[in-house]
């Protein structure tokens, strides 16, 4: 779990980031797609385009939702002792990721993009300690989603990709 100092770093940076979620969430998805251009096929609203349209309302809404969920889950980690997402939401996340063919290595790539986005968003406040805090917290969130993907795959007798 996160230390008190790590929790404080995450909360401090989240306060800065949530001042402009549309900007940071768009940066997050831009970074993801720069690292893995093929990932755009995982998103229905990006499949038929060769670029990342900044004004695409579906992308903006989805990116903001992903960014907010990730950041708010991280903040809860120390307070609640784990990643607390409603059972229905966690099941939905596992199902959607499984159906879209998301693999465990994709979560690591998203982590890299998230850390880059946070670094850009907090500027000179960025530190190795902040990076480690966000990285550890993200790993807990990714493990919860992957666990749900595995549970759904086992229940449906489908292999996890």
């Amino acid at each position: 779990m996160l230390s008190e100092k790590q929790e404080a770093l995450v909360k401090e940076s989240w306060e800065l980031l949530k001042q402009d979620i549309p900007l940071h969430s768009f940066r997050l998805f831009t970074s993801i797609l720069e690292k893995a251009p093929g990932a755009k096929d995982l998103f229905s609203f990006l499949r038929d385009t060769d670029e990342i349209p900044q004004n695409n309302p579906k992308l903006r809404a989805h990116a903001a939702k992903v960014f907010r969920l990730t950041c708010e889950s991280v903040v809860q980690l120390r307070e609640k002792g784990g990643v607390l997402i409603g059972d229905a939401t966690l099941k939905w996340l596992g199902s959607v990721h499984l159906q879209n063919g998301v693999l465990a290595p994709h979560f690591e790539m998203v982590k890299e993009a998230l850390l880059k986005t946070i670094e850009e968003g907090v500027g000179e406040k960025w530190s190795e300690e902040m990076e480690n805090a966000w990285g550890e917290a993200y790993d807990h969130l990714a493990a919860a989603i992957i666990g749900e993907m595995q549970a759904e795959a086992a229940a449906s007798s489908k292999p996890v990709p």
Side-chain angles (χ1 to χ4, degrees):
M1 288 299 138
L2 296 179
S3 71
E4 223 174 289
K5 184 169 184 177
Q6 286 176 311
E7 177 189 29
L9 288 168
V10 168
K11 284 182 174 182
E12 175 187 353
S13 54
W14 175 229
E15 288 303 316
L16 293 171
L17 295 166
K18 71 182 183 179
Q19 293 175 20
D20 196 349
I21 288 177
L23 171 69
H24 301 303
S25 59
F26 185 75
R27 279 185 183 164
L28 173 63
F29 270 74
T30 300
S31 184
I32 290 168
L33 297 175
E34 284 172 355
K35 290 180 179 294
K40 78 177 186 71
D41 293 335
L42 298 174
F43 306 99
S44 61
F45 48 86
L46 293 178
R47 285 187 189 129
D48 297 326
T49 182
D50 290 330
E51 60 184 60
I52 308 169
Q54 186 167 1
N55 60 354
N56 179 323
K58 290 181 181 178
L59 169 64
R60 291 183 73 85
H62 184 76
K65 187 184 330 179
V66 168
F67 197 74
R68 185 180 303 273
L69 175 67
T70 301
C71 294
E72 288 177 354
S73 296
V74 166
V75 170
Q76 291 179 3
L77 188 60
R78 181 162 158 71
E79 291 176 2
K80 308 295 184 189
V83 173
L84 298 179
I85 301 173
D87 285 344
T89 301
L90 188 57
K91 285 186 181 303
W92 178 80
L93 287 169
S95 177
V96 166
H97 284 84
L98 183 64
Q99 289 172 12
N100 285 318
V102 174
L103 306 172
H106 292 143
F107 286 92
E108 188 61 32
M109 187 235 355
V110 170
K111 177 182 173 180
E112 291 173 22
L114 178 68
L115 293 174
K116 176 183 175 189
T117 301
I118 295 166
E119 180 179 7
E120 291 172 1
V122 301
E124 62 188 41
K125 290 187 180 282
W126 183 251
S127 67
E128 187 175 332
E129 285 180 295
M130 187 178 286
E131 178 180 15
N132 291 337
W134 275 100
E136 183 178 333
Y138 176 83
D139 289 345
H140 285 281
L141 175 61
I145 295 170
I146 291 168
E148 191 57 44
M149 289 169 61
Q150 292 169 336
E152 181 169 324
S156 66
S157 300
K158 292 180 186 175
V160 176

